[in-house]
Amino acid sequence: LTEYTNAPQRIANNKLYIKSAVEFSAYYSIGDSALTFHALKPTIARIETQMVMPLLGDMYETLKGQISEPLQINLRETVKYYLAFQTVAEVIELEQSIQLNANGLRVYYGSQYINAKYFMPPSEAQRLVSMQAAQRRAAMYWTQITTLLNEINGVVEAAPVVGIVSTEKIVGF
């Protein structure tokens, strides 16, 4: 148990807003896959440090602790939704090896310790439609974050949202 408590992976996970595959799946389905979550962690961490942390400022660490104020609780949940949808939009946009279907997103993953699971890759049209939907949701949550911050402290102005891919690029729709 002591080794687990001090494990680098556990320490790194505990620094993130979304700490596990099960928790990520509550915001966007990855089928509770620890392997998919492991593959998404670098993207989640980058979005947190480059986008969320600067916007939240001092509130960034506050929201990670015990909070009871309803607006802060709502803000933390909105941040988690934003992180999930922005992460999904980015992994689709970067064309990582993924599967998209009604069950959510899965990442191709293999290692020397386990057998890789292979999935049917999405078509370009599926990729673009899914990316666009995830970007719209991420933009919506980003706007909600700035609105909640305004309600909490009245200082932060609306921040620009991420760009949305044009539907003109989608072939066959």
Side-chain angles (χ1 to χ4, degrees), residues 61-120:
E61 288 300 327
T62 301
L63 294 177
K64 286 186 171 186
Q66 292 291 98
I67 53 175
S68 59
E69 171 64 38
L71 282 176
Q72 289 180 344
I73 293 169
N74 192 358
L75 178 58
R76 179 171 51 198
E77 284 302 299
T78 304
V79 166
K80 289 180 181 184
Y81 274 106
Y82 171 75
L83 285 168
F85 280 96
Q86 185 63 30
T87 297
V88 169
E90 289 191 18
V91 298
I92 294 171
E93 182 179 25
L94 296 173
E95 298 187 16
Q96 289 188 6
S97 299
I98 58 169
Q99 173 181 306
L100 292 165
N101 61 29
N103 296 321
L105 178 130
R106 305 288 181 278
V107 174
Y108 293 119
Y109 192 90
S111 78
Q112 63 186 3
Y113 303 109
I114 61 166
N115 292 328
K117 293 183 180 179
Y118 296 100
F119 303 107
M120 175 66 73

Side-chain angles (χ1 to χ4, degrees), residues 123-129 132 166-173:
S123 68
E124 186 62 21
Q126 286 174 313
R127 225 180 235 287
L128 288 172
V129 168
Q132 195 174 44
S166 169
T167 55
E168 295 171 11
K169 293 183 179 180
I170 302 173
V171 179
F173 283 84

Side-chain angles (χ1 to χ4, degrees), residues 4 15 24 39 43 77-78 102 111 130 150 156 163 172:
Y4 172 74
K15 290 181 180 179
F24 192 97
T43 304
E77 284 302 299
T78 304
S111 78
S130 297
N150 281 331
V156 178

